[in-house]
Amino acid sequence: MLEAMLMPYIAAGRLIIKRQHKPVAVEMAGDRILAVALESSEGEKLWLRADYVLDASELGEVLELSHTEHVIGAESQQDSGELHAPAKANPLDQQAINWCYALDYRPGEDHRIAKPENYDFWQSYQADFWAGKLLSWHDINPITLKKRHLALFDSDLRSPKGEKLHLWNYRRILCKDNFIQGTFASDISLVNWPQMDYWLGPLLGVSPEAQQAHLKAAKELSLALLYWMQHEAPRHDSQNNKKQSSHKQGYPELRLRADVFETQDGLAKAPYIRESRRILPLFRVTEAHLGVEQRGQLKGAELFEDSVGIGSYRIDLHPSTALKSYLDISSYPFQIPLGALIPQRMENLLPAAKNIGVTHITNGCYRLHPVEWNIGEVAGALAAYCLKHHKLPREIYQKKSLLRHFQEMLVRDFDIELSWPDYARFYPC
């Protein structure tokens, strides 16, 4: 779908996509970026020169390369004033990452993978804050932190008693029952499940070698989960299931769908990263602006006159590299303030993803995909607007007439919602 959307611009010569490239250097002049160097997977370097640079990378790579003021990890409570922030800042306190893959289920077939490297470690690993071994049919409820049963299929929901999470349907991306019978032999489920959260080391604030080691270990954990499910996991086949497998343990019928991601190892081309470098902005969003508990008697999230979009999600922090458990607390439907997209010093660099001016806490609700896409779209619109009107982003933010004109354009030309109706904004999630 994305390829189809981009094709007219590619065909017209207005857009060039360089795949398998990463930013490795920048050329600066004062507070402006003149050019960004990209390096291909083959080691070839390409310099791109532009009036504006938008950083939509997963880790905010250009922020570090350009020495743009930014933070990583958790701010202290004294710094942010947030109710749930730690007493002491910890830059290495970063949310777990996941290396996802897709599975289908083929009864009567055997698709077991070879034993992954370091499987024995993961098979026995248990964190102090977890309900048991990581590779098991139990996790903890992110809100209550109480033990929860993980059910693989519908039949698994019958037992045991207590709270359950239906894994197969949790992130299912194809349901065969939605198609003419025989079109698909199985559902396809995207595996981004609690047992593959990797929290044993951060990706930011460490050496490149350490970062690569953690990425490799995250892949090993994901494959260890699949191996455990195929070979050793207790089966949930109940007596009421007439199609019981002959296997006493393990689900060899689970098949890794390498074709979904078009990769040799069957895993996604990149991990799911929940936390990026974050700019020091003209305005920073904190828990006080939208956290239900910290808002106290105040109803709804803070209203921002410079809103450029909206979002709604709980403050959802996964277990972290500081070996802390979930923080999953209620928040009000919120707005995206333009001030959070503008660096304090840099003139022509705009964050376009999870790298805006939020905190470790509020990243927990601003990191979600609809919000991230809204941010990217607005960053592109802002760069175009500034070029057309010969203004800097901070001038749009600081001058009300320009801000209103820009907001009107977002609504008119991009159908972007700037505020929640009252019937929605006062009801927390």
Side-chain angles (χ1 to χ4, degrees), residues 233-250:
R235 292 186 71 100
H236 298 305
D237 297 324
S238 72
Q239 294 180 356
N240 297 326
N241 185 355
K242 297 180 181 179
K243 296 182 178 179
Q244 286 193 51
S245 170
S246 59
H247 296 277
K248 299 291 185 181
Q249 62 184 29

Side-chain angles (χ1 to χ4, degrees), residues 199-389:
W199 55 64
L200 291 189
L203 299 185
L204 298 174
V206 297
S207 68
E209 293 77 17
Q211 184 185 87
Q212 289 304 310
H214 292 313
L215 290 171
K216 181 175 182 289
K219 270 194 174 185
E220 290 173 358
L221 170 57
S222 294
L223 291 172
L225 172 60
L226 177 57
Y227 182 89
W228 175 81
M229 289 192 295
Q230 290 177 328
H231 290 77
E232 300 178 9
R235 292 186 71 100
H236 298 305
D237 297 324
S238 72
Q239 294 180 356
N240 297 326
N241 185 355
K242 297 180 181 179
K243 296 182 178 179
Q244 286 193 51
S245 170
S246 59
H247 296 277
K248 299 291 185 181
Q249 62 184 29
Y251 290 85
E253 306 96 327
L254 291 172
R255 180 174 67 161
L256 185 62
R257 288 291 301 269
D259 58 306
V260 171
F261 289 111
E262 299 179 343
T263 56
Q264 290 185 350
D265 60 12
L267 277 67
K269 295 180 180 179
Y272 175 43
I273 296 172
R274 295 181 173 89
E275 196 165 327
S276 171
R277 298 176 178 90
R278 305 183 297 276
I279 65 165
L280 291 181
L282 295 183
F283 180 84
R284 181 175 62 169
V285 182
T286 70
E287 184 184 352
H289 295 119
L290 50 91
V292 171
E293 187 177 355
Q294 187 160 359
R295 295 288 286 171
Q297 297 300 313
L298 298 172
K299 298 299 182 183
E302 186 90 4
L303 293 176
F304 298 130
E305 287 188 346
D306 61 329
S307 173
V308 291
I310 59 174
S312 182
Y313 198 74
R314 293 175 63 84
I315 295 175
D316 170 23
L317 276 69
H318 279 236
S320 77
T321 53
L323 298 183
K324 297 193 307 187
S325 189
Y326 290 101
L327 174 66
D328 194 319
I329 56 178
S330 189
S331 65
Y332 288 108
F334 53 84
Q335 296 172 301
I336 305 168
L338 178 62
L341 274 67
I342 303 176
Q344 293 177 353
R345 177 180 59 85
M346 297 293 289
E347 295 183 349
N348 67 336
L349 172 64
L350 293 172
K354 295 182 286 282
N355 48 355
I356 67 168
V358 292
T359 64
H360 177 71
I361 300 290
T362 52
N363 168 73
C365 58
Y366 276 79
R367 70 175 171 82
L368 271 292
H369 299 86
V371 181
E372 191 174 18
W373 296 334
N374 193 151
I375 292 166
E377 190 169 10
V378 168
L382 178 61
Y385 186 91
C386 289
L387 287 170
K388 181 177 180 180
H389 296 280

Side-chain angles (χ1 to χ4, degrees), residues 40 91 96 100 109 120 130 133 137 158-159 193 208 220 248 256 277 279 288 292 326 331 334 336 345 405 417-418:
S40 72
C100 306
E109 299 179 8
D120 292 338
W130 209 244
K133 288 185 178 181
W137 292 130
R158 299 188 182 98
S159 63
W193 297 348
E220 290 173 358
K248 299 291 185 181
L256 185 62
R277 298 176 178 90
I279 65 165
V292 171
Y326 290 101
S331 65
F334 53 84
I336 305 168
R345 177 180 59 85
H405 190 244
E417 300 282 351
L418 302 185

